[in-house]
Amino acid sequence: MVRPGQVMENPVAGDQLIFTKTTRETGGESLEFEIFAWAGASGTPEMVHTLQDESFEVLSGSLDLLVAGHERRLKAGESLIVPKGTPHRWWNGSDEEAHVLIELRPALRMEEFLANWYGLCNDKGSLPNPLQMAVLINEHLNEGHLTKPPLFVQKVLFGALAVVGRLLGYKAHYPKYSG
């Protein structure tokens, strides 16, 4: 189980995550965490949360976002809510670290996904094996997905690869990362 104050790093995206309010603490209403996006961090690929609103509040530095095709840089003291169903991504294009508070409403299973994703990326120092990625992504595809390729292609591709991945022993949940 993820705990408040638990720190995880993702060298792929270039950030450190600290869980501040867990799914359990909020009764599933939200998940809150802080991100320290390193200078020049590549951030996330473009995605859509189909069932969750995501809010960003920059505490220090600045964070770049692409929301519904429009680029924007949030600076310290600024915030933005990305409504569910809206394509978006973030990165840090500046030369200083960004400290950002992020909240997802409702929490759903994003805490489990993030803990396992960060754990796998950190342990390997790169993206996980494609079959491992397929198992994890396929498990959470109904909550959120990449914007490319089209969703039906992702469902077929990740679904088929996840079957092979599970046969080879890959899992969507590892207790060492998410309890």
Side-chain angles (χ1 to χ4, degrees), residues 1-2 21-31 107 111:
M1 175 181 310
V2 172
K21 289 185 184 171
T22 65
T23 302
R24 185 175 193 176
E25 287 181 297
T26 67
E29 287 184 28
S30 66
L31 170 65
E111 177 180 295

Side-chain angles (χ1 to χ4, degrees), residues 29-41:
E29 287 184 28
S30 66
L31 170 65
E32 186 179 282
F33 51 94
E34 295 177 30
I35 292 280
F36 290 87
W38 307 328

Side-chain angles (χ1 to χ4, degrees), residues 1-24:
M1 175 181 310
V2 172
R3 302 171 320 279
Q6 184 172 339
V7 179
M8 304 188 87
E9 286 194 2
N10 182 343
V12 176
D15 68 86
Q16 180 183 66
L17 176 150
I18 302 172
F19 289 100
T20 52
K21 289 185 184 171
T22 65
T23 302
R24 185 175 193 176

Side-chain angles (χ1 to χ4, degrees), residues 16-167:
Q16 180 183 66
L17 176 150
I18 302 172
F19 289 100
T20 52
K21 289 185 184 171
T22 65
T23 302
R24 185 175 193 176
E25 287 181 297
T26 67
E29 287 184 28
S30 66
L31 170 65
E32 186 179 282
F33 51 94
E34 295 177 30
I35 292 280
F36 290 87
W38 307 328
S42 62
T44 62
E46 190 175 34
M47 68 185 81
V48 172
H49 298 292
T50 52
L51 303 169
Q52 296 167 300
D53 295 328
E54 184 170 17
S55 65
F56 298 85
E57 180 184 352
V58 178
L59 304 175
S60 66
S62 63
L63 188 73
D64 298 292
L65 293 112
L66 178 66
V67 180
H70 301 284
E71 276 193 37
R72 175 167 182 187
R73 176 170 278 180
L74 291 180
K75 296 178 182 174
E78 296 181 326
S79 60
L80 175 73
I81 296 175
V82 178
K84 64 184 171 190
T86 305
H88 66 285
R89 73 175 292 260
W90 66 260
W91 69 97
N92 182 358
S94 78
D95 58 0
E96 67 176 304
E97 182 176 79
H99 180 194
V100 183
L101 180 64
I102 298 176
E103 182 181 48
L104 291 157
R105 288 188 165 271
L108 303 176
R109 295 176 54 216
M110 190 57 73
E111 177 180 295
E112 179 184 329
F113 174 81
L114 288 170
N116 284 284
W117 183 258
Y118 272 69
L120 289 164
C121 287
N122 189 55
D123 280 357
K124 190 164 174 147
S126 64
L127 288 174
N129 170 298
L131 293 173
Q132 171 62 79
M133 285 193 320
V135 170
L136 182 59
I137 291 170
N138 190 61
E139 179 75 15
H140 297 273
L141 203 52
N142 291 332
E143 296 171 34
H145 58 85
L146 302 172
T147 58
K148 295 176 187 168
L151 182 55
F152 76 92
V153 173
Q154 291 180 59
K155 286 182 178 184
V156 170
L157 181 63
F158 291 133
L161 290 174
V163 169
V164 176
R166 282 190 182 88
L167 288 172

